[in-house]
Amino acid sequence: MRVRTDFICELNQKKLWLRREDLIKEEVKGNKFRKLKYNLIEAKKFNSNAILTFGGAFSNHLYATALSGYLNGIKTYGIVRGNEWEEKIKDSPTLVNCVNYGMGLIFVSRETFKKKNDREFWGIIKLNPSKFYIIPEGGTNELAVKGCSEMLEKKDKIYDVLCCPVGTGGTIRGLINSSAINQKVIGFSALNNNLKLDIDRHTDNKKWELINKYTFGGYAKSNNDLISFINNFRKRFDVQLDPIYTGKMLYGIFDLITNNHWYWGRNILIFHTGGKQGIEGFNKRQIKKGLSCII
Ligand SMILES: *Cc1c(COP(=O)(O)O)cnc(C)c1O
């Protein structure tokens, strides 16, 4: 699959290129398309009643799963973190879209959600897990990593650095697996959990690094600096970034390079992993708190 690459700018003698996974022709865009690709094939083979997965009320993964199910004629179920959302689905454009794509939503308390990997979880929600093709929260499993490894193409050997945002680590693991010997993979954490150990456990390639400095306080947290960076980026380069993943990564890349803390080569390929579906919901929350919005 051909994906566009845009030259962004030269900064402190580094050349920045953006791989536009957010613009792929498939209806499900970004890395969630990559992560679901082989899972959808497997789900069809498995001949399960439905796909079941997990996520927060603004999750890109829930959205992508619902849309993929709709397009492929597979029933989907989403376990949503926070039972308060049952009464206010309308406050989340993500959940509204999930419902429109035919996803059955099951709302559970935050405590119950934490138990989702325990046996007792299924008793609490009164479902039989063997009836479903289950995809973990965030969509990361071995098939997802395989899908993400296809984000890199042979001709990408000309870049010496590859950058991506990191949530559950599936995307960076895919890139690490398919990167060439001369390439360094730099991940930018979107949350404060230390994923380094988990990625380490799955890969023997040491040519990667995880930057934890640009989480902006944690998952889905932000500040005015980040919002103005995202808005300026759009004005300057005509590229929309999202506030959860790609905005934090690009903020970090620009900050490190301008402050001479970039040690990894001059030709940088940056993966725009998508996430634009979340902007409307993000802005709704910002307005409620009286904070600035993404324009
Ligand atoms: C989910 C997501 C990520 C993180 O991917 P992981 O494989 O969970 O690390 C990055 N960017 C966007 C836009 C995402 O939706």
Side-chain angles (χ1 to χ4, degrees), residues 214-216 218 220-233 241-252 282 292 294:
Y214 302 99
T215 63
F216 290 83
K221 299 263 167 52
S222 67
N223 65 19
N224 280 336
D225 260 10
L226 178 64
I227 308 293
S228 20
F229 176 84
I230 289 170
N231 288 337
N232 286 331
F233 198 90
L241 302 174
D242 83 294
I244 318 291
Y245 294 104
T246 56
K248 291 179 179 181
M249 165 180 66
L250 263 311
Y251 185 104
F282 177 84
S292 53
I294 292 168

Side-chain angles (χ1 to χ4, degrees), residues 31-32 35 60 140 165-171 245 273-275:
N31 69 339
K32 296 304 183 283
K35 295 171 92 167
N60 293 334
T140 291
V166 177
T168 58
T171 307
Y245 294 104
T273 44

Side-chain angles (χ1 to χ4, degrees), residues 63-93:
Y63 175 90
T65 306
L67 177 53
S68 299
Y70 174 76
L71 296 170
N72 287 277
I74 306 172
K75 175 72 189 166
T76 56
Y77 290 96
I79 312 274
V80 181
R81 180 180 62 236
N83 42 10
E84 72 276 13
W85 283 101
E86 190 153 14
E87 270 82 60
K88 49 173 190 177
I89 294 178
K90 283 198 188 68
D91 290 348
S92 162

Side-chain angles (χ1 to χ4, degrees), residues 61-195:
H61 167 66
L62 275 190
Y63 175 90
T65 306
L67 177 53
S68 299
Y70 174 76
L71 296 170
N72 287 277
I74 306 172
K75 175 72 189 166
T76 56
Y77 290 96
I79 312 274
V80 181
R81 180 180 62 236
N83 42 10
E84 72 276 13
W85 283 101
E86 190 153 14
E87 270 82 60
K88 49 173 190 177
I89 294 178
K90 283 198 188 68
D91 290 348
S92 162
T94 304
L95 293 181
V96 170
N97 281 316
C98 286
V99 170
N100 289 340
Y101 294 138
M103 180 177 255
L105 298 179
I106 299 153
F107 298 87
V108 303
S109 70
R110 278 147 214 277
E111 289 95 285
T112 304
F113 193 84
K114 277 188 200 140
K115 295 183 189 146
K116 63 187 178 302
N117 297 322
D118 304 345
R119 274 195 139 261
E120 59 168 320
F121 177 80
W122 302 99
I124 300 172
I125 65 164
K126 300 193 176 69
L127 286 176
N128 177 354
S130 68
K131 291 221 155 71
F132 302 96
Y133 182 82
I134 296 172
I135 302 177
E137 183 183 18
T140 291
N141 56 19
E142 292 315 306
L143 291 175
V145 173
K146 178 180 172 192
C148 289
S149 71
E150 294 176 357
M151 285 166 51
L152 258 187
E153 295 163 30
K154 279 215 176 69
K155 64 173 169 44
D156 293 333
K157 286 205 176 104
I158 55 166
Y159 302 102
D160 27 53
V161 192
L162 311 167
C163 294
C164 73
V166 177
T168 58
T171 307
I172 192 171
R173 279 174 53 202
L175 285 180
I176 292 168
N177 288 350
S178 56
S179 61
I181 198 98
N182 61 308
Q183 292 177 317
K184 184 99 185 176
V185 186
I186 310 290
F188 289 80
S189 298
L191 55 149
N192 289 331
N193 287 354
N194 193 352
L195 274 148

Side-chain angles (χ1 to χ4, degrees), residues 226-284:
L226 178 64
I227 308 293
S228 20
F229 176 84
I230 289 170
N231 288 337
N232 286 331
F233 198 90
R234 174 148 183 207
K235 268 190 224 141
R236 216 175 133 195
F237 305 116
D238 197 25
V239 175
Q240 180 69 67
L241 302 174
D242 83 294
I244 318 291
Y245 294 104
T246 56
K248 291 179 179 181
M249 165 180 66
L250 263 311
Y251 185 104
I253 293 169
F254 273 65
D255 190 57
L256 290 171
I257 294 178
T258 33
N259 292 307
N260 293 317
H261 293 310
W262 187 268
Y263 313 110
W264 308 288
R266 291 170 187 274
N267 287 307
I268 306 167
L269 180 63
I270 302 158
F271 285 86
H272 190 319
T273 44
K276 290 188 271 196
Q277 73 82 27
I279 293 177
E280 194 188 341
F282 177 84
N283 279 342
K284 274 187 167 224

